[in-house]
Amino acid sequence: MAAGDFIKGKNFRLKVEGKTVFHATECGWSTSRELEDIATKDTNGKRRVLGDYDFSATTSMMLAEKVASGTQHDVFDLLQMFKDGVKVDIEFTTDIEGSKIISGSYFIQQCDISASNGSTATGNFSFAGDGEFEIETVA
């Protein structure tokens, strides 16, 4: 990927245990950091001390059963991982050489499945980071 190139949302994928999410329509990644406020009789205003950070990921998909030999995870695979309480490795990546990968270990925190009359069923999953995340470059 050349410097200055824009990253297309269609190309940015969430990979769970090395497999993309089947019929994903959206994915996201987020991080936040705790800040401790310090104020004493000898300070003017508040001082802040950096604390730990937290990170998470989300994905949304259209529901469809994948072929058995597929290289993707469908809603039922993710739901089974949630039920089993396993920690999963996730990459947020385009897989384009030279682009960045955000990776880490996560627990599946929440699963939502919706099925409205007259439309395709959808699934939404939230993942809570565990430990640290890494930023690497696709080789």
Side-chain angles (χ1 to χ4, degrees):
M1 179 166 217
D5 286 351
F6 292 104
I7 298 171
K8 300 237 180 230
K10 178 178 175 68
N11 295 333
F12 231 125
R13 302 289 300 262
L14 200 69
K15 293 172 90 173
V16 179
E17 293 295 316
K19 296 180 178 184
T20 58
V21 175
F22 194 46
H23 286 300
T25 56
E26 206 174 314
C27 58
W29 189 88
S30 179
T31 187
S32 62
R33 182 177 295 278
E34 296 172 358
L35 295 173
E36 180 183 355
D37 290 339
I38 306 278
T40 72
K41 295 175 184 181
D42 298 314
T43 60
N44 290 320
K46 289 183 182 177
R47 304 274 326 264
R48 294 199 173 22
V49 177
L50 290 178
D52 290 334
Y53 64 82
D54 193 17
F55 58 101
S56 61
T58 59
T59 191
S60 299
M61 79 241 351
M62 306 292 279
L63 266 61
E65 290 191 48
K66 65 179 177 48
V67 291
S69 61
T71 58
Q72 296 177 301
H73 286 303
D74 65 11
V75 68
F76 305 107
D77 295 336
L78 296 177
L79 193 55
Q80 187 64 52
M81 290 178 210
F82 171 82
K83 186 177 173 191
D84 294 343
V86 298
K87 191 181 332 183
V88 296
D89 290 328
I90 290 181
E91 293 179 343
F92 194 53
T93 181
T94 63
D95 276 336
I96 298 171
E97 187 175 330
S99 66
K100 299 296 183 194
I101 301 171
I102 304 169
S103 62
S105 294
Y106 298 75
F107 289 102
I108 301 174
Q109 185 175 24
Q110 184 171 342
C111 311
D112 297 304
I113 297 173
S114 297
S116 298
N117 190 39
S119 63
T120 303
T122 59
N124 297 292
F125 287 82
S126 298
F127 304 86
D130 185 57
E132 296 184 69
F133 66 88
E134 302 292 330
I135 305 168
E136 300 168 314
T137 302
V138 177

